[in-house]
Amino acid sequence: MLRRIRLQIFHMERLNCRLIGSYPFACSSSSSGALSVGVDGDDELYSDVPRPPRRKTERKPFVTPMKELIRMAKEEREARKLQPCRMLEYPPENGLLVPVLVEVARHVYHARESLLKGLSELVKVVPVQRCRFCFEVHIGHYGHEIRTCTGPNSGLRSATHVWRKGGVQDVIFFPKCFHLYDRVGKPRVGHDERHSVPRIPAVVELCIQAGVDLEKFPSKRRTKPVYCIEGRIVDFESISETHKIDIDMVAESVIERDELGRDIVPSRTSPIEESKFDLWSSSTDEVKNIKQLSMWTLESWFEMMEGVKKIMESYTVWTCGYCPEVQVGPKGHKVRMCKSSKHQSRNGLHAWQEATIDDIVGPNYVWHVRNLNGPALNNNLKRYYGKAPAVVELCVQAGAPIPDCYRSMMRVDVVRPDSDEVDLVA
């Protein structure tokens, strides 16, 4: 009898926790360009504070479940047995570009440049602090007092941070990857080629493979799809046809027409870029409206993140399951440079798995500060503090409105007790 009562109480507690966890914080609309981030798809405007970083010995969670990966591998193997030689039909697996994503890649590339320009100006107004021994970042005049340092000799300092002045590279982090000239014909970089192949930010490499042309980093553009013969890619395109084609010719298939039959050519720059053209054309020292600059920078951040998500739905990005290494392309590289957990059993090779958007654009979550001129964040009140990406926190502190999708994560509606009232709060 007692066992039944305990089981009923346990199930009631679980149901109560689920109801409380799914109840969103009250929020008002403050930004029209905010992204919708949800938890389990229950509420688009609810997002909880991110969990602390995982242990170095733990592997990153798989985006696609392992059972689904095994099932897809079996289907691919069976299809290869039934048809050893087949022409790949769908881009970008067949070596051709996805015409719809060409303009999206251009917008992402320009939005990244505008984001870096805006952050370089906002850093001069809003101070950025960075820990000397770990990767912790704080936005404010004084560093917080929350004991979360994991750097060398952190035990002797009781996990307190040692702050110093930071910069743009601390606010946002773009991991680098190897540039692929031919993403289909030669999708992997060998260990002996690690010094000859250039490394560029993964976002830039993703834009190049999606259709952006850069003189410093050329890429092969095909006019005919490739063939797959027993798992190997074969290109029957003649050498004379391997010239570099114009991306505008590829995008002609998606050009819309108006009622009179005239072609509607898409603009090369996004609406945000057009509105900021006058600002960047003038001297940045003459910019007086920091609030407007912070709003434009925040819009560039959302535009870049939204475009990267669209491109990653078609173009594959890989990451190591134990270290931050990423690679854009059909396969991961073979450079033996992994030094994380269990790398001896892999002979230094990376444990490649499907990447997420946080792997190619490091959000670098920081604690939210309501008043820059107020006292430092107290370690005893850390459960009442919220977090946000460093870019969002920097723009909000510069005057931009808080986006709807980050209001619950930043815990704007939470009433913080005083330091002497912590013991009285349940």
Side-chain angles (χ1 to χ4, degrees):
M1 188 67 181
L2 292 175
R3 187 175 181 181
R4 290 182 179 179
I5 295 175
R6 290 177 182 175
L7 289 175
Q8 292 178 359
I9 294 174
F10 176 73
H11 290 302
M12 291 296 294
E13 289 178 354
R14 290 185 62 185
L15 180 60
N16 188 22
C17 292
R18 290 181 180 179
L19 292 176
I20 295 175
S22 62
Y23 185 80
F25 291 104
C27 61
S28 58
S29 60
S30 58
S31 177
S32 59
L35 292 177
S36 297
V37 182
V39 177
D40 296 333
D42 296 334
D43 197 329
E44 294 181 352
L45 298 179
Y46 178 79
S47 54
D48 198 4
V49 177
R51 297 181 179 179
R54 61 181 180 84
R55 296 180 181 179
K56 295 182 179 179
T57 57
E58 296 180 0
R59 181 164 185 162
K60 300 176 184 178
F62 289 94
V63 179
T64 306
M66 181 59 66
K67 292 184 178 180
E68 184 70 16
L69 294 176
I70 295 175
R71 185 188 63 81
M72 293 170 59
K74 289 182 179 179
E75 292 180 355
E76 180 68 21
R77 184 173 55 187
E78 294 296 331
R80 190 181 303 172
K81 290 181 180 179
L82 295 176
Q83 192 175 5
C85 179
R86 57 190 176 92
M87 183 183 68
L88 300 180
E89 300 179 1
Y90 305 103
E93 285 77 11
N94 58 0
L96 303 181
L97 295 176
V98 181
V100 182
L101 297 179
V102 174
E103 198 67 23
V104 177
R106 290 172 177 168
H107 289 171
V108 171
Y109 182 77
H110 293 300
R112 176 181 175 272
E113 292 183 345
S114 301
L115 175 64
L116 295 177
K117 289 180 181 179
L119 292 177
S120 62
E121 295 298 325
L122 294 179
V123 166
K124 301 177 182 178
V125 180
V126 181
V128 178
Q129 308 291 334
R130 190 241 173 113
C131 182
R132 182 180 178 184
F133 299 100
C134 68
F135 298 100
E136 184 79 10
V137 180
H138 183 71
I139 308 297
H141 296 282
Y142 307 100
H144 62 75
E145 298 178 357
I146 301 177
R147 302 174 183 177
T148 55
C149 184
T150 57
N153 300 326
S154 60
L156 301 178
R157 302 189 308 273
S158 299
T160 57
H161 297 279
V162 180
W163 300 104
R164 64 178 183 181
K165 187 177 180 180
V168 179
Q169 66 278 2
D170 301 318
V171 176
I172 188 170
F173 173 65
F174 293 105
K176 294 184 177 181
C177 69
F178 289 100
H179 171 60
L180 299 179
Y181 171 73
D182 188 359
R183 66 178 305 273
V184 176
K186 194 177 186 307
R188 284 189 172 183
V189 178
H191 182 72
D192 299 334
E193 302 173 343
R194 62 187 184 278
H195 299 300
S196 59
V197 180
R199 288 175 63 87
I200 59 178
V203 177
V204 179
E205 176 64 19
L206 187 65
C207 295
I208 292 175
Q209 294 188 14
V212 175
D213 282 338
L214 299 179
E215 295 181 359
K216 296 182 179 180
F217 307 103
S219 180
K220 184 177 180 179
R221 308 298 186 192
R222 287 182 170 83
T223 58
K224 297 180 181 179
V226 298
Y227 286 78
C228 180
I229 301 178
E230 295 183 353
R232 295 184 179 182
I233 301 298
V234 179
D235 189 4
F236 292 101
E237 194 176 41
S238 61
I239 300 177
S240 60
E241 295 178 352
T242 57
H243 60 279
K244 183 180 180 181
I245 63 173
D246 190 10
I247 305 300
D248 296 334
M249 298 176 59
V250 180
E252 285 182 356
S253 58
V254 294
I255 292 180
E256 300 179 356
R257 298 179 182 272
D258 57 5
E259 298 178 354
L260 301 178
R262 295 175 297 182
D263 295 340
I264 302 177
V265 181
S267 59
R268 290 296 184 93
T269 58
S270 62
I272 299 176
E273 287 295 322
E274 294 177 355
S275 62
K276 290 185 291 186
F277 178 76
D278 297 334
L279 175 66
W280 297 125
S281 60
S282 60
S283 177
T284 53
D285 296 336
E286 299 177 359
V287 178
K288 299 180 180 179
N289 196 348
I290 301 299
K291 181 178 180 180
Q292 189 69 21
L293 177 62
S294 63
M295 294 174 61
W296 283 338
T297 305
L298 192 59
E299 289 178 0
S300 299
W301 159 264
F302 283 122
E303 183 183 7
M304 183 190 68
M305 298 294 286
E306 190 74 21
V308 169
K309 285 184 178 180
K310 292 181 181 178
I311 298 176
M312 289 182 64
E313 293 177 358
S314 299
Y315 291 85
T316 311
V317 182
W318 301 94
T319 182
C320 181
Y322 298 95
C323 72
E325 182 70 15
V326 293
Q327 180 59 47
V328 182
K331 301 178 181 178
H333 61 74
K334 294 185 178 181
V335 180
R336 302 185 184 94
M337 54 187 299
C338 185
K339 298 181 181 180
S340 297
S341 176
K342 303 177 182 179
H343 68 90
Q344 297 88 349
S345 60
R346 303 189 305 271
N347 196 16
L349 294 175
H350 295 282
W352 297 110
Q353 64 183 44
E354 187 179 356
T356 61
I357 189 172
D358 292 340
D359 295 321
I360 64 174
V361 182
N364 203 357
Y365 291 97
V366 298
W367 296 98
H368 173 57
V369 180
R370 296 185 180 181
N371 186 10
L372 288 179
N373 299 322
L377 302 183
N378 193 350
N379 184 62
N380 297 328
L381 300 176
K382 62 181 180 180
R383 59 183 294 190
Y384 303 101
Y385 298 138
K387 283 189 174 183
V391 175
V392 178
E393 178 69 15
L394 182 64
C395 295
V396 168
Q397 297 298 341
I402 300 178
D404 290 341
C405 58
Y406 290 112
R407 293 185 68 88
S408 60
M409 184 185 298
M410 299 170 75
R411 293 182 177 176
V412 180
D413 301 330
V414 176
V415 179
R416 302 174 184 175
D418 296 333
S419 57
D420 55 346
E421 297 177 349
V422 179
D423 298 334
L424 303 177
V425 179

